[in-house]
Amino acid sequence: MTGDVAVLGAGMHPWGKWGRSFVEYGTVAARAALADAGIGWQEVQSVVGADTVRGGYPGYVAGATFAQALGWQGARVTSVYAACASGAQAVNTARAQILSGMADVALVVGADAAPKGFFAPAGGDRPDDPDWLRFRVLGATNPAYFGLYARRRMALYGDTVEDFAQVKVKNAAAGALNPNARYRKAVTAEDVAASAVVADPLRLLDICATSDGAAALVLCSMEFARRHGAANPVRIRAVSTVTPTFPKAVLDLPDIATDSSVAVAPSPDSFRASIAGAAYEEAGIGPGDLSLAEVYDLSTALELEWYEDIGLCGTGEGAKLVQEGATALGGRIPVNASGGLASFGEAVPAQAIAQVCELTWQLRGTAGERQVPGARVGLTANQGLFGHGSSVIAVR
């Protein structure tokens, strides 16, 4: 697939713990995106919803749920579930429909009302479900997994808890400038060190929360954008949704074992590196072309891993970028100028869409106090359970 699609509108519902339905959050974000695009709901020809699986029956038909909430008008609908990559797959579905000529204008919506505390498998006994097994058999909760990955970095590359803390400090400073963020307070390394240990070596402020929230995008063909008066819109140039290659010799949640590399050598690139690599290849650019990136900082240590996976530095060099201030606002390549999940928390179906919203505002030059000067190319990166890749490249 080749060709750009335009981002005509972007909208969000602020993130927090609001205690209301995910449908309400998504409807607010959708209407904000439509208003930003300057078009009416009747002009939307396709609605792609990123599913939440905790909201009961409506959560499994998110596309139609949002279409109904906005008012039935005959648009085609699609519902997508790919765990934390749901939003990127929803974007990709809308893009495919536009580039194939099935629709000129598509609305992409993701919203969630997350449970209190850290995520756990949905109810019921499912002994054939690897996500259920890693909780029930291993006791490997999400924070335990994050802690293991942090220990791995410390053992392999010499990262320290002080390096991890600086990631939180950086993201909190950016989040304090973002009106949609849940946590809008700067923190110090001392604050991180004083927070409770959750999964050694990670403390509470090293790990993202769970949140309610929503994000939405109006995507359209370049021809529709021109007719609508948007001569130079932000454009989505690539979307990567790749899966791992065999053998996958580094443990990734929720797997509880790795493929054997005895007979077949591992790929030179990790799964996460291949996600960004596929996006770069499709867009015809490289890491050196980026103005900024939004990555999936489930924990401070995992953000350092993403620096390496998206090619900002060599393996094991992520902490050096933070120490140099390269990934902070005002640095050489700001990462998580939005504040990241450290400032927002996880609203699973919405977060990959929210990343594209941030790129849109940055590339337009409308991000306010957190604006990256002269931003022209941005990349998002995250991954979902069960081998779902997620990366979007936007340009202007």
Side-chain angles (χ1 to χ4, degrees):
M1 181 184 299
T2 58
D4 293 349
V5 298
V7 182
L8 202 59
M12 295 182 70
H13 182 292
W15 292 29
K17 285 286 189 179
W18 308 111
R20 298 192 292 273
S21 165
F22 79 95
V23 182
E24 180 179 336
Y25 308 143
T27 303
V28 169
R31 287 177 176 152
L34 290 167
D36 185 48
I39 67 170
W41 162 233
Q42 293 285 351
E43 294 180 79
V44 173
Q45 299 166 343
S46 176
V47 181
V48 185
D51 289 8
T52 172
V53 299
R54 284 171 300 281
Y57 179 74
Y60 290 95
V61 287
T65 303
F66 295 128
Q68 182 181 33
L70 292 164
W72 295 128
Q73 47 88 314
R76 70 170 69 238
V77 296
T78 310
S79 295
V80 175
Y81 181 72
C84 296
S86 297
Q89 292 217 6
V91 168
N92 198 44
T93 298
R95 180 181 74 137
Q97 292 176 352
I98 292 167
L99 292 179
S100 69
M102 293 172 64
D104 275 336
V105 186
L107 173 67
V108 180
V109 191
D112 205 0
K116 183 178 180 180
F118 297 113
F119 287 119
D125 291 344
R126 298 186 307 280
D128 58 347
D129 177 353
D131 201 37
W132 184 90
L133 286 170
R134 57 110 175 176
F135 275 88
R136 297 294 190 268
V137 177
L138 294 185
T141 62
N142 288 5
Y145 168 78
F146 305 151
L148 289 170
Y149 235 106
R151 280 290 173 199
R152 181 177 184 273
R153 288 197 62 84
M154 295 172 82
L156 290 178
Y157 312 128
D159 289 3
T160 67
V161 292
E162 289 78 19
D163 294 327
F164 302 152
Q166 287 304 317
V167 175
K168 174 65 176 184
V169 171
K170 170 188 74 71
N171 288 346
L177 306 176
N178 192 331
N180 288 308
R182 176 179 178 181
Y183 301 104
R184 300 190 60 197
K185 179 182 177 182
V187 303
T188 65
E190 290 74 23
D191 293 329
V192 179
S195 64
V197 174
V198 176
D200 188 65
L202 299 179
R203 295 180 175 271
L204 186 64
L205 293 185
D206 283 301
I207 299 172
C208 75
T210 62
S211 289
D212 298 356
L217 297 163
V218 175
L219 305 182
C220 68
S221 66
M222 295 303 297
E223 178 57 31
F224 183 93
R226 284 190 287 269
R227 293 199 309 268
H228 194 70
N232 184 31
V234 173
R235 304 181 300 282
I236 290 178
R237 180 149 293 172
V239 183
S240 167
T241 58
V242 299
T243 54
T245 57
F246 178 87
K248 189 159 74 75
V250 176
L251 190 66
D252 257 327
L253 178 155
D255 299 328
I256 56 177
T258 61
D259 298 332
S260 172
S261 59
V262 173
V264 181
S267 168
D269 293 326
S270 68
F271 171 43
R272 279 196 290 270
S274 74
I275 296 171
Y280 287 136
E281 182 176 1
E282 182 180 335
I285 66 169
D289 298 305
L290 295 180
S291 305
L292 73 158
E294 288 285 311
V295 305
Y296 191 40
D297 58 315
L298 290 166
S299 79
T300 51
L302 283 174
E303 176 166 326
L304 298 181
E305 195 89 9
W306 277 114
Y307 296 171
E308 299 156 20
D309 293 330
I310 67 175
L312 301 185
C313 60
T315 300
E317 297 176 356
K320 183 180 178 182
L321 289 189
V322 170
Q323 293 164 4
E324 295 171 346
T327 56
L329 289 175
R332 174 174 59 83
I333 175 67
V335 177
N336 287 340
S338 66
L341 295 182
S343 300
F344 277 76
E346 282 195 275
V348 170
Q351 51 211 37
I353 301 171
Q355 288 180 322
V356 180
C357 287
E358 180 65 20
L359 293 192
T360 299
W361 295 322
Q362 290 285 351
L363 297 181
R364 287 177 178 174
T366 59
E369 293 180 89
R370 65 184 190 281
Q371 179 64 49
V372 176
R376 287 293 177 266
V377 181
L379 173 139
T380 73
N382 68 37
Q383 70 179 106
L385 294 179
F386 313 115
H388 289 116
S390 169
S391 181
V392 177
I393 290 176
V395 302
R396 192 174 192 191

